[in-house]
Amino acid sequence: MTAGCGEATTSLGQRLRQTREHHFVGRAAELALLRQALAHAPEPFSVLYLHGPGGIGKSTLLRHFGEEAASAGRRVVQVDGRLVSPSPARFENAAAAALSDESAVLLVDSFEYCQELEDWLRNRFLPRLPESVPVILAGRGVPGPQWRADPAWRDLLKVVPLRNLPPDHAVALLNRRGVPPELHESVLSFAGGHPLALRLAAEVAVTHDVDATTSWRPSLNVVETLLTQLIGETPSAQHRHALEICAHARTTTEGLLRAALDGDPGPIFAWLRELPFIESDARGLYPHDVVRDALDDDLRWRDPQGYEKMHRRLHSYLLEQALAATGSAVLPAVGAMVYLQRHAQVVRRYFTFGGEGTVYEDPYRAADRSAVLKLAVEAEGADSAAIVDFWLSRRPDGCHVYRSSDTDEVVAFLTWLRLTDPDPAELDVDPVVAAAWHHCRSAAPLRGGEHIGLARFMVYPPAYQRPSPVSDLMQMRMLAHFLHDKGLATHYLVLRDVEFWAQHLAYFDHHPAGTPPQVGGRPYHVFFHDWRVTPVMQWLAHNQQQLLYGLQPRPPLAGADLLVLSRPEFDAAVRSAMRAWRRPDELAANPLTRSRLVADHGGDDRVAALRDVLGSAIDRIRDDTRLHRVLVTTYVHGTPTQEAAADRLGLPYSTYRRHLTRGMERLSDALWDRELRG
């Protein structure tokens, strides 16, 4: 069909420009720089250097620059770095018009492909351009240090890193792409403000059946396209794996790479540092969020076994770091370990993994008292605040405060109580503490050297007992107690909204501790975990299984099948086990096969595990040759009677009995310490 006489026609190029204009959002600051240059503002720049990772929108912005410059009557000279690399002659041929036309604007895209021309460009080509010709270079890498080292260029070069679109601009892009508002949250959770990720996600999301679900996840095609655009080819499989490690861990150091990779990590770490989508802070390297998620999703789909191996190596390394950390290093180390679980659906619901740096934990000081009490009144009422006041006087060291990074104002607090004996005054004042002690005494009383831990208050009024950056820090602090508190037998957790936290409690093996006590007419639900029944290492191992394979029932040995023995019961079981050393059927019935000793040892054969544990404890008595020989001769080698053992050892019977009694005491002490502390 042809247009009638006098009818205006629209070219394909015009339609393309109109469509691009419609979908272009943001970048106001960068556009303002160009407009200043086009308007001959007083020396805004001679060379504008835009840099950022793949897909961040450099080419789109450069195209928009060109259209604005053309509309202003300027001659647009465009150079594609992919086509001229790395020849000065080819570059000059492509940019020749800018040398002779004072109205020109020179745009160089994909500059990373001709980065080798940087010295020639700075010293030979750019000085020949008319002063009125602005130059815009766009590439993935930052400009070389020689630009800044030359005083003449320092005022003529402007370097602008391109970042993600802010949230309002990202939403505007989705709206213009026709993405239903119901899907915005899930699309933004994947793409953030990354323009390419937003566009790719929008293409898929607009076909999503909103009536079926309001959640959305990127398809494998979207992930593959993103990785191709963002990363391209890597020098080797080892380099690719280093990227995958960097994506899975919160931050990456050479030490972490050394634990997860084979070979010298130094050169690969240096390579990672130079990638345009890799940033760094005081703790190490980390990738752009979109790159992180795309790499992690791709590896988990493409190589599940490789993903599991990588995850377990990283978890093992980070657990060692968390166990060794002290002081202010504890929370970051614990946080790095928790971050590995961010893809578990249950964990993602209760951890934000966001807002980093907006708040920080600090020891409680007397000057904080009024602020803490004010927060308690706001969140839980006056009766609860009176109990907070009681504990601040009695155990101030149990209070951790959380301060705003901007103002240092106390915005939240956590009270962790370490309780060793029921105190009548404490039981009278605090119904929750009374309920915890009642449960402890009726279910599994404490043994010598043990204590209970109670997360008594977790107060942050803007998001009271709801996921937030503050809640993240509080949960990390509790995990630090689980890892570091020697003699922690059971810990208790106090919650108001059980329904909301139900999945969290089930995932992390917490159970109700009886009828909820009331404070100020409000019920407070108390939950517990007995670390003598499920020790922390088994608890962590099961959490990793759930992350990798979904929710799973707790293994029998780590559940109610374990026994919590009193010291007299324990000593009797040790004596019985030693007498049954050479009789597996009797060893199988020994209570120690259901103790923490055997649970920590691992393995399916409990009899073999018990014998290994006993043998290891006997070996540790080698420093006293007499006691060691008596135990080995009597039980391991076996003699029909104690008199026969004394005769074989060449000892008077009374001396033999004294050594045997002392040896058994040392053996039981060593095993009891291991039973309590792991």
Side-chain angles (χ1 to χ4, degrees):
M1 182 176 181
T2 59
C5 183
E7 294 181 5
T9 60
T10 301
S11 70
L12 179 59
Q14 288 174 309
R15 289 190 60 184
L16 289 172
R17 284 192 295 273
Q18 291 168 0
T19 301
R20 288 171 181 151
E21 176 69 27
H22 173 71
H23 289 293
F24 186 86
V25 296
R27 307 305 188 197
E30 292 82 1
L31 289 172
L33 286 174
L34 175 73
R35 289 163 187 159
Q36 291 176 29
L38 296 178
H40 302 290
E43 300 182 359
F45 62 84
S46 291
V47 176
L48 176 62
Y49 196 114
L50 304 171
H51 67 89
I56 202 67
K58 300 182 297 294
S59 297
T60 299
L61 181 57
L62 217 59
R63 186 185 302 116
H64 200 79
F65 275 2
E67 290 170 357
E68 287 219 7
S71 298
R74 305 292 289 265
R75 181 175 184 176
V76 179
V77 181
Q78 296 177 307
V79 178
D80 188 336
R82 292 169 295 186
L83 303 180
V84 300
S85 169
S87 164
R90 295 182 68 178
F91 187 100
E92 183 161 338
N93 183 59
L99 292 168
S100 57
D101 190 338
E102 294 185 352
S103 71
V105 174
L106 177 59
L107 309 178
V108 182
D109 197 9
S110 301
F111 186 61
E112 67 271 12
Y113 286 94
C114 53
Q115 202 94 30
E116 295 177 28
L117 300 179
E118 200 168 1
D119 290 344
W120 170 82
L121 194 73
R122 184 181 61 256
N123 297 321
R124 304 290 297 278
F125 180 81
L126 293 179
R128 294 159 51 202
L129 289 173
E131 187 177 7
S132 60
V133 175
V135 179
I136 297 94
L137 307 176
R140 296 191 175 193
V142 298
Q146 294 83 357
W147 293 90
R148 293 297 186 190
D150 187 341
W153 273 110
R154 194 173 301 153
D155 296 329
L156 298 178
L157 174 72
K158 186 168 188 63
V159 180
V160 176
L162 282 190
R163 306 294 188 187
N164 275 4
L165 296 173
D168 55 338
H169 291 168
V171 169
L173 188 151
L174 295 182
N175 285 330
R176 296 185 188 186
R177 295 269 171 167
V179 177
E182 296 87 346
L183 298 182
H184 284 185
E185 182 178 354
S186 55
V187 171
L188 291 173
S189 70
F190 160 70
H194 191 275
L196 175 62
L198 285 166
R199 291 197 299 271
L200 290 172
E203 289 179 14
V204 180
V206 292
T207 64
H208 188 81
D209 184 359
V210 179
D211 293 332
T213 175
T214 56
S215 64
W216 173 91
R217 287 295 295 163
S219 66
L220 294 175
N221 288 337
V222 169
V223 172
E224 184 179 354
T225 302
L226 266 179
L227 290 177
T228 301
Q229 291 288 328
L230 295 172
I231 297 171
E233 293 296 324
T234 54
S236 70
Q238 189 87 326
H239 288 75
R240 173 65 179 232
H241 189 44
L243 268 178
E244 292 160 348
I245 291 167
C246 193
H248 195 58
R250 186 168 210 160
T251 54
T252 298
T253 62
E254 277 198 35
L256 183 138
L257 279 184
R258 187 176 297 109
L261 280 178
D262 298 322
D264 179 13
I268 292 183
F269 186 80
W271 171 78
L272 284 172
R273 294 181 69 176
E274 298 301 319
L275 295 176
F277 49 82
I278 297 291
E279 300 184 53
S280 64
D281 60 20
R283 295 169 300 176
L285 307 179
Y286 60 94
H288 188 286
D289 285 345
V290 173
V291 179
R292 181 193 293 281
D293 289 341
L295 279 165
D296 213 62
D297 290 346
D298 178 70
L299 178 62
R300 189 165 191 168
W301 162 78
R302 178 171 47 82
D303 183 7
Q305 292 77 24
Y307 184 91
E308 178 179 353
K309 180 180 178 182
M310 174 190 71
H311 173 84
R312 292 192 182 281
R313 290 180 74 168
L314 290 179
H315 181 266
S316 177
Y317 171 79
L318 293 173
L319 175 59
E320 288 181 9
Q321 300 298 302
L323 289 170
T326 59
S328 61
V330 170
L331 280 195
V334 171
M337 189 176 72
V338 173
Y339 190 78
L340 294 183
Q341 292 211 57
R342 70 191 181 280
H343 290 302
Q345 186 174 2
V346 173
V347 176
R348 288 176 69 92
R349 185 181 180 194
Y350 299 102
F351 278 84
T352 67
F353 298 108
E356 192 172 10
T358 58
V359 289
Y360 66 95
E361 187 187 89
D362 201 32
Y364 167 79
R365 295 187 281 269
D368 300 324
R369 192 184 196 103
S370 61
V372 168
L373 294 177
K374 182 179 179 181
L375 293 170
V377 171
E378 183 180 353
E380 296 191 356
D383 290 344
S384 194
I387 298 175
V388 173
D389 193 40
F390 171 82
W391 288 115
L392 289 178
S393 297
R394 201 169 186 87
R395 299 174 187 261
D397 57 332
C399 183
H400 304 274
V401 299
Y402 299 88
R403 301 182 188 275
S404 164
S405 298
D406 292 333
T407 65
D408 291 328
E409 173 190 7
V410 176
V411 297
F413 70 94
L414 164 73
T415 301
W416 177 271
L417 301 177
R418 185 183 187 276
L419 305 174
T420 55
D421 294 294
D423 184 307
E426 296 173 355
L427 300 181
D428 288 342
V429 169
D430 195 339
V432 171
V433 169
W437 272 121
H438 175 75
H439 174 269
C440 177
R441 286 180 292 190
S442 61
L446 294 185
R447 304 170 297 187
E450 292 181 339
H451 69 275
I452 65 174
L454 172 60
R456 177 60 185 91
F457 296 101
M458 295 178 288
V459 172
Y460 177 49
Y464 176 68
Q465 294 196 0
R466 283 294 187 271
S468 68
V470 173
S471 173
D472 288 357
L473 289 175
M474 290 179 177
Q475 293 187 75
M476 290 174 196
R477 171 52 61 190
M478 286 189 282
L479 179 54
H481 282 296
F482 304 162
L483 293 174
H484 287 269
D485 287 8
K486 298 299 183 183
L488 177 62
T490 305
H491 90 268
Y492 292 87
L493 180 65
V494 185
L495 295 169
R496 288 277 304 280
D497 188 348
V498 177
E499 184 176 348
F500 176 80
W501 291 94
Q503 284 183 300
H504 180 281
L505 295 166
Y507 187 89
F508 290 110
D509 195 33
H510 285 60
H511 309 278
T515 304
Q518 293 205 359
V519 177
R522 300 171 179 172
Y524 286 82
H525 300 267
V526 182
F527 288 79
F528 78 97
H529 178 92
D530 192 330
W531 296 107
R532 299 165 300 183
V533 172
T534 306
V536 68
M537 293 306 162
Q538 287 191 353
W539 182 77
L540 288 171
H542 186 73
N543 291 343
Q544 304 318 304
Q545 287 293 107
Q546 294 193 121
L547 166 66
L548 294 166
Y549 302 113
L551 293 176
Q552 298 180 357
R554 294 273 163 181
L557 189 59
D561 194 39
L562 260 68
L563 292 178
V564 179
L565 300 170
S566 67
R567 181 64 193 263
E569 292 170 333
F570 185 86
D571 289 344
V574 171
R575 290 192 297 271
S576 177
M578 293 300 290
R579 287 194 295 267
W581 182 278
R582 301 168 68 83
R583 297 188 292 276
D585 55 333
E586 291 187 27
L587 272 181
N590 190 285
L592 292 181
T593 60
R594 298 165 60 195
S595 69
R596 181 179 181 179
L597 289 169
V598 171
D600 279 353
H601 184 278
D604 296 328
D605 188 339
R606 300 190 192 188
V607 171
L610 176 55
R611 190 178 277 123
D612 285 348
V613 168
L614 293 171
S616 176
I618 293 171
D619 284 344
R620 289 200 294 273
I621 304 177
R622 284 182 180 275
D623 62 316
D624 192 322
T625 307
R626 298 169 303 169
L627 304 187
H628 182 265
R629 288 182 62 229
V630 166
L631 290 175
V632 170
T633 300
T634 303
Y635 298 118
V636 179
H637 295 161
T639 54
T641 64
Q642 292 187 355
E643 289 80 358
D647 185 60
R648 182 181 296 181
L649 290 165
L651 295 173
Y653 184 68
S654 61
T655 302
Y656 162 81
R657 286 288 300 168
R658 188 168 61 253
H659 290 343
L660 180 63
T661 300
R662 179 58 186 147
M664 286 301 299
E665 288 174 351
R666 283 198 58 184
L667 183 68
S668 283
D669 286 345
L671 291 170
W672 179 249
D673 184 70
R674 184 169 171 183
E675 170 75 2
L676 294 183
R677 306 180 189 280

